[in-house]
Amino acid sequence: APPPPTSSATSDKAPTSTSTNGATTPQREAADAVAAGAYAKAARLYEELAKAHPDVPAYAAAARIMKAKLRKR
């Protein structure tokens, strides 16, 4: 069996998907944009998240993936 994951979305470094007041977070907004196929918006949001959270490399990776999807259209 593969080893368990070493980190999770609930780690101290990764922000949660909803804020305490129930408002949509930038992370959720970016994920929603991906689900809707709005790759330009998702790329912009993930770039902003990458700048705000340089300790979370997944955001920069997501921005690159969204830009690649835009070029394939």
Side-chain angles (χ1 to χ4, degrees):
T6 57
S7 66
S8 70
T10 58
S11 72
D12 290 338
K13 287 186 177 185
T16 58
S17 63
T18 56
S19 64
T20 55
N21 65 3
T24 303
T25 63
Q27 295 85 353
R28 179 56 188 254
E29 189 176 352
D32 288 348
V34 173
Y39 300 131
K41 179 179 180 180
R44 178 181 51 80
L45 291 167
Y46 280 123
E47 284 178 334
E48 291 172 8
L49 285 164
K51 289 177 187 174
H53 303 281
D55 56 326
V56 184
Y59 294 142
R64 285 191 303 273
I65 292 166
M66 294 303 105
K67 288 177 185 178
K69 285 186 173 289
L70 285 170
R71 287 191 293 271
K72 290 182 181 182
R73 284 187 162 186

